[in-house]
Amino acid sequence: MSLLDVRDLAVSYNGRRAVEGISFTVEPGETVAVVGESGSGKSTTAHAIIGLLPGNATVDQGQILLGDTDLATWSSRRMESVRGVRIGLVPQDPANSLDPVKTIGAQVGEVLRIHRRGDRRTIARRVVDLLTRVGLPEAEALARRYPHELSGGMRQRVLIAIAIALEPSLIIADEPTSALDVTVQRRILDLIDDLRTEFGTAVLLVTHDLGVAADRSDRLVVMKDGRIEEQGPSAAVLADPRAAYTKQLLHDAPALSVREFRTAEPPVREPAIVVRDLVKEFRAGPSAVSRAVDGVSFEVAHGTTHALVGESGSGKTTTARMVVRLTRPTSGTVEIAGAGPGRLFRRHVQLVYQNPYGSLDPRQSVAEIVEEPLRNFRLGDRAARRARVGDLLERVALPKDLLTRKPRELSGGQRQRVAIARALAVEPEVVVLDEAVSALDVTVQAQILDLLEQLQRELGLTYLFISHDLAVVRQISHTVSVMNQGRIVESGSTSQVFTDPGHEYTRELLAAIPEPVR
Amino acid sequence: MTRYLLSRVGQAALVLWAAFTAGYILLQLLPGDSVLIKFQNPELGLSPEQIAEIRAYYSGGNPPLVDYLHTLLGFARGSFGYSIDTGTPVVERLAEALPETAKLASAGFLLAVLIALVIAFAAGYSRTSWIRGALLSMPSLFVSVPVFWLGIVLIQVFSFRLGLVPVIGGSPAQQLILPVLTLAVPISAPIAQVLARSIDQVYTQPFVPVVAAKGASRWWILWRHVARNAVLPTLTMAGLTIGELIAGSVVTETVFGRNGIGRLTEQAVNAQDTPVMLAIVVLAATVFVLVNLVIDLLFPVLDPRLEVAA
């Protein structure tokens, strides 16, 4: 008998179907990965299993058999005896998934207290054991600390300790590593694997990242629009995908598709961007100073893409902000060939942010958003500006009928196209892209990357591409600088850095990319 | 931490000084004065020259700046001067009125907090939308009820119609019931509103489903996690209602005929009894500043994230 047997499950939000009659099983001790893009119904499925659907969601039909009990018919109150005991949850966002006002120890011990496993002293001892087991040092001292004092990776370990505390037979890991740096991501996934082997726990891994799924699972369930497109043993699905959608996912996932490196012509003009000995210090206390950027230098040739790659805290975003003159450097220089002084600088250099939703004014229409830079610089009359907005939308392949829409009516990919169109409105020569594709689903990400390449060819743009995602960087950039703790540890052409890394840190980063088809 | 404490206490002292000075200047600018009100009665038969003499006697005949410094020094030493109206030391009049108001205000505040907690928790726990809606509309209703009207209605209903609470001659506790209720209802409104809203906001935090996934019951989640996190903004609001509490007790004490600071304020204003009014301004400011100082110092205790900043 399967550990978990989901049969013909359908879930809807306010009457709109999000999951339409899906069936799959999880056997004891195995890892099943549910893969899909946003809106595919993968998270809804996971939440339905543990009975944590939001108030406006209903299970319309089907069974969720855990052993021989059908959880789909259980009330939320009855589910309290299952949650934590038979099913554990590792959530998506370690930064906000722990109560900020309670100690780590209290929050790990809580699951034991809720289910009355021992007195205060036994629980305190068990908490230390659990924290040690998930690889956290000095567990006793750590138990007295608060979540904000821990790094993202440490918090995710704490959350895993909570999930395994009562040795459940199933752990649902909902995008457990999406918010973490690649090197941390690998260690967390290794930990989940270890615990699975040790306790014989089955893992239902929900992820948008086909690379992670393929790397870590025994079986794959590929979802799209609330339906299962394909399921089967991971190796078989990867080697011989049946569904067209799986093929597309495999093609678009940057970690899985091996493309040619982009190579640049030898530069004929002087470089478009020259950064020399850039330093940025922040005050970290009354007398302490922290160096976010510590002597960074690089050059970017005209019409090419240079990537700054690194993990969180590496100083890559601060560097980008200094390049676009949003932050003043403590010392060092940034020279951008042909850029004017003051406000004219913005006609030459534009920035595209990570979060396309946050960087678009929710009250403006698409037309107003794209037109705004033209109005700011008084470029053309009303009719000329309108024509230009139309051209820009066409360039980024957005249909004309979106002109009157508001950002919230657009998909994530469409929003990022709008942001790119806005950046291109004043005909800049340099575009700085700060994690510009990180928040997007892989198929959308692939489309945006294609668009960026195409625009670069047509308009001769120079890109400074900031990213934590090595697979994306490998695909888009001509040259790369690898940043760690405010310094550039290695730089060179993309092919050289990726095939023959010279620095230990670069090798570590590259090894952390999930790569099932090595 | 000690530095933080010292700077906060220093700030509090500065606020008190500013309140004193503003109060002093405004009271000096008032047209007419207490001497005129008290001695202009034609039956006393005093000539304008004699009234001027009396005025000089009370003010000590000093220039305004000297008088200001003299009064400030007096306040710093705890001596508030003499009431012009009755001739007794202001301290005595305050000491007489203070216990009554302290009882009323503290009981009123506690009841207000209790009402707010019940409304906000019931709304946070309830899953039926019309009950939630009804509970959440209560604060706006409460805040729009005028204190004097509520007081009169409560006396009408509970004392005259139902005969539950005697109007005259009840025990001290009985006499407190209706005024406390009158005072508490409008003050509970902003506290309930802020608490209910922050409870809703905390419910959307990602850590809530994580606690639920541990198998915690709805009550456990609400009480141990959501409430703990929602209390901070509410505390700020509660501190701000102290001002309203003082204003509310003036009206309440007048309606219920209680001898407290509220009544004293009313009498002092009528008689333009400047020393008493100034003392009341400074007293109210002191209470306000102290309560908010305590709340500020509580913040890092309740939210460990603020400790670093402190």
Side-chain angles (χ1 to χ4, degrees):
Chain A
M1 191 174 55
S2 303
L3 170 70
L4 178 74
D5 189 351
V6 176
R7 290 183 188 168
D8 200 25
L9 178 72
V11 183
S12 56
Y13 290 96
N14 297 328
R16 267 184 56 187
R17 277 283 165 84
V19 172
E20 313 213 35
I22 62 163
S23 305
F24 66 92
T25 60
V26 179
E27 303 304 323
E30 75 169 347
T31 300
V32 173
V34 178
V35 191
E37 300 185 280
S38 45
S40 63
K42 59 185 193 304
S43 284
T44 304
T45 306
H47 291 145
I49 293 168
I50 197 167
L52 285 177
L53 288 169
N56 59 351
T58 46
V59 174
D60 300 330
Q61 61 175 55
Q63 293 171 299
I64 301 167
L65 298 167
L66 183 69
D68 45 15
T69 46
D70 182 7
L71 302 181
T73 61
W74 280 27
S75 71
S76 185
R77 173 157 298 185
R78 215 169 151 200
M79 281 298 289
E80 284 162 18
S81 63
V82 171
R83 295 188 200 124
V85 183
R86 295 172 66 192
I87 306 178
L89 174 75
V90 178
Q92 182 163 19
D93 171 18
N96 299 308
S97 290
L98 289 165
D99 185 338
V101 303
K102 302 228 165 188
T103 61
I104 299 300
Q107 299 193 57
V108 178
E110 185 173 30
V111 62
L112 303 163
R113 278 174 62 206
I114 289 170
H115 300 286
R116 306 224 164 77
R117 301 296 166 90
D119 57 20
R120 196 171 282 265
R121 290 213 354 244
T122 338
I123 288 177
R125 244 194 335 266
R126 182 92 178 93
V127 166
V128 172
D129 288 350
L130 281 165
L131 291 175
T132 312
R133 179 60 198 90
V134 295
L136 289 166
E138 296 168 45
E140 251 167 274
L142 193 79
R144 287 192 294 273
R145 291 169 68 184
Y146 288 93
H148 70 273
E149 301 173 289
L150 274 61
S151 69
M154 287 168 88
R155 281 182 233 177
Q156 194 59 295
R157 283 174 195 270
V158 171
L159 287 158
I160 291 171
I162 294 170
I164 60 161
L166 296 175
E167 299 181 14
S169 48
L170 174 67
I171 286 178
I172 295 176
D174 184 6
E175 302 272 10
T177 57
S178 310
L180 301 172
D181 285 327
V182 273
T183 52
V184 184
Q185 174 179 351
R186 184 166 73 143
R187 286 183 216 121
I188 295 290
L189 291 169
D190 284 348
L191 172 66
I192 295 177
D193 268 353
D194 285 354
L195 295 168
R196 182 176 64 108
T197 341
E198 188 179 327
F199 298 113
T201 310
V203 176
L204 185 68
L205 178 67
V206 178
T207 179
H208 72 282
D209 189 333
L210 195 58
V212 167
D215 198 12
R216 302 291 170 162
S217 65
D218 302 310
R219 286 192 302 122
L220 274 178
V221 175
V222 181
M223 284 188 76
K224 181 176 187 262
D225 298 333
R227 295 175 202 279
I228 292 179
E229 290 283 314
E230 180 164 10
Q231 58 177 313
S234 302
V237 172
L238 287 175
D240 182 21
R242 296 288 155 91
Y245 179 66
T246 318
K247 286 177 191 160
Q248 194 196 345
L249 269 185
L250 278 171
H251 174 262
D252 290 343
L256 301 179
S257 62
V258 179
R259 299 194 190 183
E260 292 282 300
F261 289 111
R262 292 183 81 186
T263 46
E265 303 284 312
V268 282
R269 295 195 273 168
E270 86 277 25
I273 308 173
V274 180
V275 172
R276 287 263 169 272
D277 302 319
L278 212 53
V279 172
K280 181 67 192 178
E281 292 178 339
F282 290 106
R283 290 189 60 142
S287 55
V289 168
S290 77
R291 278 203 165 188
V293 175
D294 190 3
V296 162
S297 306
F298 60 87
E299 288 180 5
V300 188
H302 268 287
T304 71
T305 302
H306 183 75
L308 282 182
V309 64
E311 299 185 287
S312 48
S314 61
K316 57 187 192 301
T317 292
T318 311
T319 306
R321 288 181 62 85
M322 289 189 284
V323 170
V324 296
R325 293 197 189 161
L326 285 174
T327 301
R328 199 181 287 271
T330 307
S331 67
T333 56
V334 176
E335 277 168 44
I336 294 183
R343 233 160 67 93
L344 286 177
F345 181 81
R346 304 262 167 252
R347 281 203 62 181
H348 198 84
V349 181
Q350 282 284 317
L351 179 66
V352 176
Y353 292 91
Q354 168 169 21
N355 180 348
Y357 194 48
S359 62
L360 301 178
D361 184 339
R363 293 183 179 276
Q364 286 186 324
S365 68
V366 168
E368 287 169 329
I369 290 169
V370 178
E371 195 193 347
E372 195 173 8
L374 298 172
R375 293 212 330 248
N376 286 344
F377 284 104
R378 301 179 200 281
L379 298 175
D381 57 12
R382 187 181 285 254
R385 287 201 302 260
R386 189 166 302 161
R388 175 93 180 114
V389 169
D391 288 350
L392 285 163
L393 239 58
E394 205 170 298
R395 270 228 180 275
V396 297
L398 281 176
K400 279 246 173 18
D401 57 312
L402 291 185
L403 276 170
T404 52
R405 304 274 182 89
K406 298 280 163 63
R408 72 183 131 80
E409 298 170 276
L410 306 179
S411 70
Q414 287 174 332
R415 284 177 202 150
Q416 200 57 298
R417 284 174 194 267
V418 172
I420 292 169
R422 175 176 62 181
L424 296 180
V426 293
E427 300 179 317
E429 287 187 25
V430 173
V431 179
V432 177
L433 301 137
D434 187 4
E435 299 277 9
V437 298
S438 304
L440 304 173
D441 285 325
V442 277
T443 51
V444 184
Q445 194 176 60
Q447 290 159 9
I448 298 287
L449 289 172
D450 284 346
L451 172 71
L452 289 172
E453 275 194 48
Q454 186 196 336
L455 291 169
Q456 184 167 50
R457 270 199 312 274
E458 290 171 6
L459 305 171
L461 296 169
T462 305
Y463 292 146
L464 181 60
F465 192 88
I466 316 296
S467 182
H468 71 283
D469 189 336
L470 282 124
V472 169
V473 167
R474 183 189 191 284
Q475 189 182 328
I476 184 117
S477 63
H478 298 97
T479 51
V480 183
S481 293
V482 180
M483 286 192 74
N484 185 28
Q485 293 173 1
R487 291 167 187 271
I488 290 181
V489 295
E490 177 164 8
S491 63
S493 73
T494 309
S495 64
Q496 179 214 322
V497 171
F498 275 72
T499 52
D500 184 22
H503 194 274
E504 181 51 40
Y505 180 72
T506 315
R507 278 194 284 273
E508 197 187 330
L509 274 182
L510 286 171
I513 306 180
E515 230 175 329
V517 279
R518 253 179 252 266
Chain B
M1 190 64 207
T2 340
R3 251 184 74 185
Y4 173 70
L5 197 71
L6 281 176
S7 84
R8 286 311 326 253
V9 171
Q11 275 173 33
L14 204 68
V15 169
L16 277 184
W17 169 78
F20 169 83
T21 308
Y24 184 86
I25 294 171
L26 287 174
L27 289 171
Q28 292 300 317
L29 290 178
L30 277 183
D33 64 21
S34 51
V35 177
L36 210 63
I37 289 171
K38 194 172 173 187
F39 297 106
Q40 73 183 347
N41 192 336
E43 284 170 27
L44 291 171
L46 293 168
S47 69
E49 290 76 31
Q50 283 169 309
I51 291 178
E53 250 173 63
I54 298 171
R55 189 176 292 141
Y57 168 75
Y58 272 108
S59 67
N62 293 324
L65 189 64
V66 175
D67 188 52
Y68 164 78
L69 289 173
H70 183 80
T71 319
L72 180 62
L73 215 66
F75 268 75
R77 284 206 229 99
S79 131
F80 301 151
Y82 292 87
S83 161
I84 299 174
D85 193 23
T86 60
T88 47
V90 174
V91 177
E92 267 176 39
R93 297 200 68 186
L94 282 182
E96 220 171 90
L98 197 56
E100 285 301 307
T101 304
K103 266 189 269 176
L104 176 67
S106 52
F109 184 69
L110 286 180
L111 185 64
V113 169
L114 195 69
I115 296 174
L117 286 177
V118 169
I119 292 176
F121 275 73
Y125 191 71
S126 158
R127 267 187 291 193
T128 326
S129 66
W130 71 265
I131 295 182
R132 253 180 72 80
L135 284 165
L136 290 176
S137 62
M138 278 168 81
S140 353
L141 181 69
F142 285 0
V143 84
S144 39
V145 174
V147 178
F148 66 89
W149 179 81
L150 181 67
I152 294 165
V153 169
L154 287 176
I155 296 176
Q156 274 291 336
V157 174
F158 288 99
S159 300
F160 295 137
R161 290 277 171 80
L162 302 173
L164 292 175
V165 184
V167 187
I168 307 162
S171 69
Q174 276 178 329
Q175 283 180 356
L176 212 55
I177 295 174
L178 293 182
V180 163
L181 203 57
T182 310
L183 192 58
V185 164
I187 288 172
S188 70
I191 305 177
Q193 208 150 29
V194 171
L195 184 59
R197 198 172 300 159
S198 34
I199 283 177
D200 276 355
Q201 201 261 322
V202 175
Y203 263 122
T204 66
Q205 300 274 317
F207 71 78
V208 174
V210 174
V211 179
K214 293 174 183 175
S217 64
R218 280 169 57 72
W219 180 251
W220 180 293
I221 296 170
L222 177 61
W223 180 245
R224 289 173 195 253
H225 293 274
V226 176
R228 260 303 297 279
N229 280 277
V231 92
L232 285 159
T234 317
L235 212 56
T236 311
M237 193 66 230
L240 293 176
T241 59
I242 296 293
E244 248 177 275
L245 200 64
I246 295 164
S249 53
V250 175
V251 181
T252 313
E253 284 175 357
T254 313
V255 170
F256 288 92
R258 295 174 60 85
N259 282 317
I261 298 287
R263 269 300 273 296
L264 185 62
T265 312
E266 188 214 343
Q267 290 165 4
V269 169
N270 280 335
Q272 287 214 3
D273 198 344
T274 325
V276 176
M277 285 195 276
L278 191 59
I280 290 170
V281 167
V282 171
L283 179 75
T286 311
V287 172
F288 196 84
V289 164
L290 279 183
V291 169
N292 283 289
L293 179 65
V294 169
I295 286 172
D296 275 6
L297 295 179
L298 265 178
F299 263 31
V301 179
L302 290 172
D303 190 342
R305 281 168 300 179
L306 298 171
E307 209 161 3
V308 192

